[in-house]
Amino acid sequence: MVRDRYRKRGDKPGDALRRALDEAEFGRERTLNLRASLPTAADAIQRVDAWLRERQVAHAGQVLIITGRGNQSYEGISVVRAAVAKRLVSLRRRGVIESFREHTPGSFVATLAPLTALRDAPLRRAEWVMPRLVDPLSLSGLAPATRSALRELARHALGDLGVQDPEPFLSREMVEQFSLIAAGVPEGPDRENRLRRAIDGALQEYEDGE
């Protein structure tokens, strides 16, 4: 029997059970519930973008995005749901997610792409917004071990692109790799350790592919 805490006013048959199953499968760490805060479409896509990049860095696998059905929206059409669906298409092109599908009329399940897909994503000038490049001097503030791992990641990325002599391009590639990864690691306590884990994760993806 589904617990009362899963039941909500206006539920259709099976809704409470579906929520219980979703919570068991995805948990809080892999669920973004937009319906709970009723954001505008613009706020929703910003949250989806930032959250999916963070979850990609965390190698979260599959995640659940709850938009709501739009029952209270004009003509019953969810503007938030439509905006999120459009952004998911864009994020797939950008290498943030591999795929997504409708899970219910009010939610999507997205499969995160490996971090290496960020660098390999095709450049679409009409929609691509490159994360703000980090000042190269700011990398000097990283611990030596973190810079070393970032340098090795840059070397692998350039090699994967077919660059025979990566040395002249390493500094620039380190900045680009760091910018891509840092976009998914929000500010907060212990950020460098989180950045280092993300760099190590991206490096492992290249090594596993060799």
Side-chain angles (χ1 to χ4, degrees):
M1 182 177 181
V2 180
R3 296 181 181 177
D4 289 342
R5 70 188 180 95
Y6 293 110
R7 295 196 178 95
K8 296 183 179 180
R9 183 177 299 177
D11 268 354
K12 295 181 179 180
D15 282 356
L17 176 59
R18 167 63 67 182
R19 280 195 294 273
L21 293 173
D22 286 344
E23 183 170 313
E25 180 177 357
F26 296 98
R28 293 184 179 181
E29 293 297 315
R30 294 193 294 130
T31 300
L32 176 62
N33 189 348
L34 297 171
R35 180 180 57 196
S37 56
L38 301 177
T40 64
D43 288 340
I45 60 176
Q46 287 181 0
R47 287 180 60 188
V48 166
D49 196 296
W51 186 75
L52 285 175
R53 290 181 184 279
E54 183 181 350
R55 293 296 83 203
Q56 182 186 28
V57 166
H59 293 84
Q62 285 195 328
V63 295
L64 176 67
I65 303 166
I66 302 172
T67 62
R69 294 187 180 92
N71 293 337
Q72 305 304 317
S73 302
Y74 178 68
E75 294 186 346
I77 299 174
S78 173
V79 175
V80 167
R81 184 182 183 282
V84 168
K86 184 176 181 180
R87 180 50 60 98
L88 290 174
V89 171
S90 175
L91 290 173
R92 182 174 58 194
R93 290 171 179 156
R94 299 182 196 185
V96 177
I97 64 174
E98 282 190 343
S99 62
F100 72 94
R101 60 179 171 82
E102 182 181 274
H103 181 58
T104 69
S107 66
F108 298 97
V109 168
T111 301
L112 280 304
L115 286 169
T116 51
L118 290 173
R119 190 65 174 85
D120 298 337
L123 183 64
R124 291 174 173 261
R125 296 186 182 278
E127 68 172 22
W128 176 265
V129 178
M130 187 74 172
R132 182 177 59 85
L133 286 177
V134 176
D135 182 344
L137 292 177
S138 68
L139 299 185
S140 64
L142 298 173
T146 303
R147 290 201 308 274
S148 178
L150 184 61
R151 185 179 183 85
E152 189 64 19
L153 175 60
R155 190 184 301 277
H156 275 275
L158 289 169
D160 199 57
L161 291 172
V163 178
Q164 298 298 315
D165 181 13
E167 291 300 325
F169 310 101
L170 275 177
S171 294
R172 173 69 181 184
E173 185 64 24
M174 286 173 68
V175 172
E176 290 199 7
Q177 289 290 333
F178 187 80
S179 297
L180 289 167
I181 290 174
V185 183
E187 297 288 346
D190 202 32
R191 188 173 189 241
E192 173 146 351
N193 283 335
R194 289 184 284 121
L195 285 166
R196 174 60 190 278
R197 288 195 295 270
I199 292 169
D200 287 345
L203 184 56
Q204 188 64 51
E205 288 177 9
Y206 277 111
E207 292 176 348
D208 287 347
E210 291 180 348

